[in-house]
């Protein structure tokens, strides 16, 4: 059905956002500045597309230009993308800066100028060549570079894991693509289900490749639809049930088509982890069964002539397979072979936190923050629409350059929040603040003023380069401050871009316990901070947790799901997460935990 292929290739807002993101990074490289007029124009256009509630591609060019921030030049590129599936300007930039070269811009401390000098003077076009030049001490021969910068780049390369075949993609870059593909596959005729599996479903911070499993009575049609996708830069495997392709950024996607009756067995298999699968398989064998990507099957008698298993114990759903194996369902983020099978056998996974348990968001910005993009009224409305029982509005404190608000502005902000409260009798609004933890643990405002906020989250936004001892002392000082209710994005890391501050987690966790301060799990895919392994240690010790979106725009509330999945990866039980508590219990904790 070629006709259908065309319909499925239809462009959506997320395709446009992906195109603009690529234009932003390549133009930054080209113009050697992220502040150039063009980059800012693309940036504003992206905000406009993100803010537009419908499918932007259904607008005419004229209608697009009427949107705030979207200019004529960008509108015509969007139109070009819709009509032709590609954008000439982008193709030109890609030719000039191929993906293997462009991705070097992700290395902290390597700006566009340096990058271009590396290519011009040393013929460095990819990570391997950069590594070789570092080993040969050639980088120090470039202008403004020295032995110190070589060391910094080498360290950064190690930390963000960008070498050769081991190169991994940050989850924030893989997730939108995977979600978009699954959504498109679900719309195909004869498709009954589709799911991304592998490390992405397990919420690994970095992804080797994306694995998608599609259930269909017509696998060949699925394969054809995959080959037709815009995202395909190169097909690497083309089979009857599996197609693998590379995107423009070099990310591999494996799509497998299976029959609907095998879907559960297939997603279980391809979700992994490998170690989890091995443990499940040996459990199956002990029961006289086999487990593979087609199902949980009865092993034929040893003396039977045909050794092909025919009798199916379970296959269609993961739940049925776990159940047959005598296990509670194990959520994907826990499938890392770190005790989850024993726990599921004991049947004690039911108290694990779920998205539906969440009753509020406690790290939330409005346009009172310099980087906030939606009004207080709009931000409150979407939280109310999400059904929240409480909401802490935590705009940036005054110490954050440009984005913060001084005491006077915060008081006016409080007036507005309390006014808007009148329109939302079912949701308690808290006038909060995201405090900045200074280099030695100091916080914004005078102590008396800071104490006035209804709720606070204190976070690190600067000074990433101190020793572990200093950073730990710094955090403990903030935790000990009686005005602090929670610690936001613990290490300040940006996955794949910036390592977080180094902390002695044992000391930190004890401090959180002692002062009864909640530890945030930040749902932004760039952060997922505190990380799942830290969460698990905090859970074991009994530290209170809070899962937040850190939204700066009305479109960002979906991050709560990623936060919850990260909490599951850290084995967080519902009752330990303060924003699963009902309104009374939560408000009473906020009012009393630092005074009693
Ligand atoms: P990645 O892509 O490196 O981030 O990690 P995964 O876990 O997504 O690994 P991948 O893409 O190689 O394979 C996807 C899943 O398929 C994996 O988690 C488990 C399953 N799988 C793949 N190869 C094998 C294998 O040789 N044995 C077993 N038991 N499972 C496998
Ligand atoms: Ca994978
Ligand atoms: Ca794979
Ligand atoms: Zn924030």
């Amino acid at each position: 059905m070629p006709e259908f292929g065309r319909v499925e290739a239809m462009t959506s807002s997320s395709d446009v956002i992906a195109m603009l993101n690529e234009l932003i990074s390549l133009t930054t490289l080209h113009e050697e500045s992220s502040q150039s007029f063009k980059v800012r124009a693309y940036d504003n256009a992206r905000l406009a597309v993100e803010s537009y509630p419908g499918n932007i591609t259904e607008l005419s060019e004229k209608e697009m230009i009427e949107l705030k921030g979207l200019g004529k030049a960008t509108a015509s590129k969007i139109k070009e993308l819709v009509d032709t599936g590609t954008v000439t300007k982008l193709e030109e930039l890609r030719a000039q800066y191929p993906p293997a070269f462009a991705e070097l811009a992700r290395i902290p401390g390597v700006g566009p100028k340096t990058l271009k000098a590396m290519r011009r003077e040393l013929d460095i076009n990819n990570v391997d060549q950069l590594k070789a030049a570092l080993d040969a001490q050639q980088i120090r021969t470039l202008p403004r570079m020295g032995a110190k910068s070589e060391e910094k780049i080498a360290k950064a390369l190690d930390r963000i894991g960008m070498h050769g075949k081991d190169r991994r993609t940050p989850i924030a870059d893989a997730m939108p693509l995977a979600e978009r593909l699954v959504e498109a596959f679900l719309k195909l005729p004869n498709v009954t289900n589709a799911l991304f599996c592998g490390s992405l479903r397990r919420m690994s911070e970095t992804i080797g490749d994306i694995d998608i499993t599609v259930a269909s009575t017509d696998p060949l049609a699925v394969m054809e639809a995959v080959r037709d996708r815009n995202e395909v830069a190169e097909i690497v495997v083309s089979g009857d049930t599996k197609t693998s392709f590379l995107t423009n950024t070099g990310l591999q996607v494996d799509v497998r088509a299976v029959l609907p009756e095998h879907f559960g067995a297939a997603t279980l298999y391809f979700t992994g982890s490998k170690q989890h699968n091995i443990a499940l398989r040996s459990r199956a064998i002990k029961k006289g069964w086999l487990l593979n990507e087609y199902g949980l099957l009865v092993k034929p008698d040893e003396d039977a002539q045909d050794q092909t298993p025919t009798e199916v114990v379970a296959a269609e759903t993961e739940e049925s397979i776990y159940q047959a194996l005598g296990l509670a369902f194990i959520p994907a983020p826990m499938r890392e072979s770190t005790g989850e099978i024993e726990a599921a056998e004991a049947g004690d996974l039911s108290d694990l936190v779920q998205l539906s348990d969440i009753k509020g968001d406690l790290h939330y910005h409005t346009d009172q923050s310099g980087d906030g993009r939606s009004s207080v009224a709009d931000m409150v409305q979407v939280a109310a629409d999400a059904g929240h029982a409480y909401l802490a509005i935590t705009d940036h404190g005054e110490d954050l350059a440009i984005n913060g608000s001084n005491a006077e502005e915060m008081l006016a902000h409080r007036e507005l929040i309390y006014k808007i409260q009148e329109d939302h009798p079912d949701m308690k609004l808290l006038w909060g603040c995201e405090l900045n933890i200074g280099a030695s643990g100091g916080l914004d405002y005078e102590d008396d003023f800071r104490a006035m906020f209804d709720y606070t989250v204190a976070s690190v936004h600067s000074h990433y380069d101190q020793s572990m001892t200093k950073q730990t002392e710094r955090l403990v000082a903030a935790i000990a401050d009686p005005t602090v209710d929670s610690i936001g994005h613990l290490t300040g890391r940006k996955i794949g871009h910036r390592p977080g501050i180094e902390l002695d987690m044992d000391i930190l966790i004890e401090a959180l316990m002692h002062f009864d301060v909640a530890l945030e799990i930040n749902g932004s895919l760039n952060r997922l901070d505190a990380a799942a392994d830290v969460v698990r240690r905090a859970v074991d010790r009994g530290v209170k947790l809070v899962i937040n979106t850190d939204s700066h725009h009305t479109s960002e509330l979906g991050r709560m799901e990623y936060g919850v999945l990260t909490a599951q990866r850290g084995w967080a039980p519902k009752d330990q997460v303060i924003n699963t508590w009902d309104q009374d219990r939560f408000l009473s904790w906020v009012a009393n935990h630092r005074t009693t």
Side-chain angles (χ1 to χ4, degrees), residues 187-205:
K187 287 187 198 144
L188 294 172
N190 305 317
V191 164
T192 56
N193 221 330
L195 195 66
F196 58 81
C197 300
S199 52
L200 186 62
R201 184 168 174 228
R202 302 198 312 274
M203 290 299 287
S204 295
E205 294 162 4

Side-chain angles (χ1 to χ4, degrees), residues 25 29 99-112 115 127 130 153 156-157 159-163 166-171 173 205-207 249 494-499 526:
S25 47
L29 187 53
F101 176 71
E103 75 161 348
L104 297 178
R106 284 209 291 123
I107 305 167
V110 178
L115 205 50
V127 177
L130 174 58
I153 294 172
L157 264 180
R159 273 188 314 236
I160 66 178
M162 281 175 74
H163 4 199
D166 297 338
R167 155 187 187 243
R168 299 183 65 82
T169 301
I171 185 170
D173 296 339
E205 294 162 4
T206 62
I207 279 29
T249 58
K494 293 272 177 81
I495 297 170
H497 300 274
R498 178 174 72 204
N526 285 309

Side-chain angles (χ1 to χ4, degrees), residues 242-277:
K242 174 176 174 183
T243 299
S244 294
F245 67 87
L246 296 176
T247 67
N248 270 310
T249 58
L251 176 58
Q252 181 166 323
V253 183
D254 295 343
V255 185
R256 297 168 179 98
V258 304
L259 295 173
E261 59 266 36
H262 299 151
F263 187 65
T267 59
L268 187 63
Y269 183 87
F270 293 116
T271 297
S273 65
K274 209 179 268 190
Q275 291 309 317
H276 179 84
N277 289 354

Side-chain angles (χ1 to χ4, degrees), residues 22 26 29 91-104 119 125-126 248-249:
E22 205 181 339
L26 292 181
L29 187 53
E91 297 292 341
E92 283 169 19
L93 285 166
R94 281 177 185 158
Q96 218 172 337
Y97 309 104
F101 176 71
E103 75 161 348
L104 297 178
R119 179 157 80 171
N125 291 289
N126 55 46
N248 270 310
T249 58

Side-chain angles (χ1 to χ4, degrees), residues 429-447:
L429 294 182
L430 294 106
W431 169 59
C433 183
E434 179 171 16
L435 300 167
N436 300 285
I437 304 176
S440 306
L443 300 164
D444 317 56
Y445 311 108
E446 299 291 327
D447 291 355

